[in-house]
Amino acid sequence: MIQQVLVICTGNICRSPLAAALLAREMPHLRVLSAGLDALVGQPADPLAIQVGAAHGLDLSGHRARNTGAVNCHQSQLLLVMTRGQKTETEQRYPLTRGKVYLLRHQSRAEVADPYRKPLHVFEAAYADIERGVQAWCHTLRQLR
């Protein structure tokens, strides 16, 4: 049974905080964490991520970036990443995660592009991709309950 999900991106200030907040809202019975493979440790979410999140009812104001870490990886039953490269890197760094690391947009085999240092419309596009991925995973996770 899946009790904890770890959502991973690169810096942990744009994509994974948005995805984790949305997944946590949709699946309140799960513990949902976010982290970055190369996190900007201690930094708040990007201001545009905060803005886009707020427009969709998500509060990222308390978010602080953190590294992925072996403990979070091993304690999570499901790890969701934004890109194929992040999947490969996660499995290389933490070999025991093999078999439980998936693309957020696994069902469509699509990646979520990094909006970091890009304009608002790129963050909005990333959020739309994140929302599609989260909704698909919610459907899957509900079937597993």
Side-chain angles (χ1 to χ4, degrees):
M1 176 189 240
I2 294 176
Q3 297 174 336
Q4 181 170 297
V5 178
L6 178 61
V7 184
I8 300 170
C9 69
T10 304
N12 191 223
I13 61 169
C14 299
R15 295 171 291 176
S16 58
L18 284 167
L22 182 57
L23 183 60
R25 182 177 74 192
E26 298 298 317
M27 305 292 286
H29 65 284
L30 293 177
R31 181 167 189 230
V32 182
L33 308 172
S34 73
L37 289 167
D38 296 309
L40 302 172
V41 176
Q43 294 297 309
D46 185 283
L48 292 178
I50 292 171
Q51 181 179 338
V52 169
H56 294 278
L58 303 173
D59 181 9
L60 301 182
S61 62
H63 175 79
R64 294 297 175 267
R66 65 178 169 188
N67 279 315
T68 305
V71 172
N72 287 335
C73 285
H74 298 310
Q75 289 179 348
S76 299
Q77 293 80 38
L78 176 64
L79 291 81
L80 300 175
V81 297
M82 305 297 144
T83 68
R84 287 173 195 81
Q86 291 167 353
K87 180 181 188 308
T88 300
E89 188 171 346
T90 299
E91 292 173 339
Q92 286 175 346
R93 285 189 192 184
Y94 311 103
L96 295 177
T97 63
R98 288 188 183 117
K100 61 180 186 176
V101 182
Y102 295 89
L103 282 174
L104 178 67
R105 299 207 50 214
H106 173 74
Q107 290 79 355
S108 64
R109 297 187 178 124
E111 296 185 340
V112 178
D114 192 354
Y116 184 58
R117 294 187 174 173
K118 294 190 173 83
L120 179 62
H121 71 85
V122 179
F123 276 82
E124 290 168 341
Y127 181 83
D129 286 342
I130 288 166
E131 187 174 40
R132 283 189 281 277
V134 166
Q135 292 308 321
W137 275 107
C138 286
H139 177 75
T140 300
L141 293 169
R142 286 184 185 109
Q143 290 180 331
L144 297 175
R145 288 181 73 188

